[in-house]
Amino acid sequence: MRFDLVLFGGTGDLAWRKLLPALFQSFRHGSLPAGGRIIGVGRGAMSDDEYRALIAQRLAEVEADKRPSDAEFARFAQHLHYLRMDLSQPADYAALRELLQARDADTVVMYLATAPSLFTTVCEQLGAAGLATERTRVVLEKPLGHDLPSNRAINAAVREVFSEAQIFRIDHYLGKPSVQNLLALRFGNAIFEPLWRRENIASIEITMAEQLGVEKRGEFYESTGALRDMVQNHALQLLCAIGMEPPISADADAIRNEKLKVLQSLKRWTPETVSRDVVRGQYAAGQIAGKPVPGYRQEEGVSPTSQTETFVALRTEISNWRWAGVPFFIRTGKRLAGREASIVVHFRQVPHAIYRTPLGAANRLTIHLQPKDGLTLQLMAAAQSQADTGGVQTLSPAALDLDFDQRFGTERVGAYERLLLDVIAGRLNLFVRADEQEAAWQWVEPILETWQQANARGESPRPYVAGHWGPGAASALVARDGHSWMEEF
């Protein structure tokens, strides 16, 4: 299949860190269609060979096992081209049209790895230049808007040019192999479905923790914060995968219909419940891996009086028959004690205990998203050595551990690699529909509004020391339901 992938922002951070390394890996794996052309778009003047040299430099900096040999890159470089464009100038889109028409590819992908403020402009210009044909697909990176009105405005403008079936709103968490295995776990195995409900599950926690700070993205993060950056998209998509009803098929809209129902069933916020069930924090100076790191307010591009949150923990519920009364705890933050993304399903205690067990011990299913990729199921088993316990046997936790990398024995497809190939093939299953995004923004809007009012009163996020697991109030949040975060067991 002949395709053209036009990468707006082709010299930007996302292209260098994620997109071009992913495209190279798909080339290395033999999954990138042979007739493909990748056109990097940027504002600077550059020849094709100069662009290829820049990409070669970037790929030389990735992990050793993902670096190309000289021969590999020479073959991959044949796919790479460059076009200088000012995204506000119609004449530059005319030049792009001439470049694309000269080849007449089967599929043209317009990947907008730019600031969201440019999405509307680029799509309007593509439409005016006659580049929004039935063969065209457009990829929109997050964040898609800053709030509900801006999200609606961007989607409305894009739909003036492209149909919903042509729009690929990307959330790279949905491309992670572990998330794919989460869906397979739920809907490809008969043993879990009878257990996947309120009668058997005590609570569910979703953690997305980073040791890194904001690095050189302080100015961006000041206007974003953890709620917009991680909860509104990644965390809610994971919650949907855990909470959704079985779809009638693997068709994209069948899956997305069920995710939408989850978002619409989440308990709505009031100022009172936000104050009670949401914790916002901001990291202070501390140590990571034994090295001192600055506080958020000392980072480059950050106001010394910033009220932007770098940590969020919250409690919510899905108000339907399957999940009523089960607390879902979401936690995300920067400069935490470890790099960990996981979903933990805590099952209820046995209804009548005939054995001795450690305090709080129960069955747990942990879905590891990063850095490990796999599943751990905690069961209770008889201890090998028994002390005198009055004839009552003692049980201890024992884990069944499945490491997907070891089990399948091959290099696994990365998130962006999988998603880019899906765009080229026209598969929408792992992309977010407009009504999903709108429902997610509707849910977080009251939190943002309550925090805005708190900021006006001079209330700041709770401080936490870098290298710890966030403010103490996050532990108190789950303790009210008699639960603990995973690392506190």
Side-chain angles (χ1 to χ4, degrees), residues 367-381:
I367 300 113
H368 303 281
L369 304 176
Q370 68 180 29
K372 179 181 177 180
D373 183 10
L375 303 171
T376 301
L377 178 62
Q378 178 178 288
L379 304 175
M380 306 308 297

Side-chain angles (χ1 to χ4, degrees), residues 357-419:
T357 57
L359 183 65
N363 301 132
R364 289 198 299 271
L365 175 67
T366 303
I367 300 113
H368 303 281
L369 304 176
Q370 68 180 29
K372 179 181 177 180
D373 183 10
L375 303 171
T376 301
L377 178 62
Q378 178 178 288
L379 304 175
M380 306 308 297
Q384 292 301 308
S385 59
Q386 296 291 328
D388 183 6
T389 55
V392 179
Q393 194 170 31
T394 299
L395 303 185
S396 297
L400 299 179
D401 200 348
L402 173 59
D403 185 309
F404 289 132
D405 292 331
Q406 292 184 6
R407 170 63 182 84
F408 296 110
T410 57
E411 186 178 355
R412 312 198 71 217
V413 175
Y416 270 106
E417 181 182 349
R418 167 69 186 270
L419 295 172

Side-chain angles (χ1 to χ4, degrees), residues 452-467:
Q452 187 175 20
Q453 294 167 6
N455 290 343
R457 296 192 298 268
E459 299 174 14
S460 296
R462 298 172 185 267
Y464 62 95
V465 177

Side-chain angles (χ1 to χ4, degrees), residues 100-153:
L100 296 176
Q101 288 178 344
R103 189 162 178 269
D104 196 28
D106 303 309
T107 298
V108 178
V109 176
M110 305 291 187
Y111 198 118
L112 274 58
T114 66
S117 58
L118 293 172
F119 289 175
T120 298
T121 298
V122 173
C123 288
E124 288 174 349
Q125 294 282 6
L126 290 173
L131 287 169
T133 70
E134 60 183 12
R135 294 175 298 175
T136 308
R137 294 163 191 152
V138 61
V139 184
L140 305 178
E141 266 288 346
K142 78 167 190 77
L144 202 66
H146 187 75
D147 52 19
L148 181 59
S150 60
N151 173 261
R152 284 173 169 166

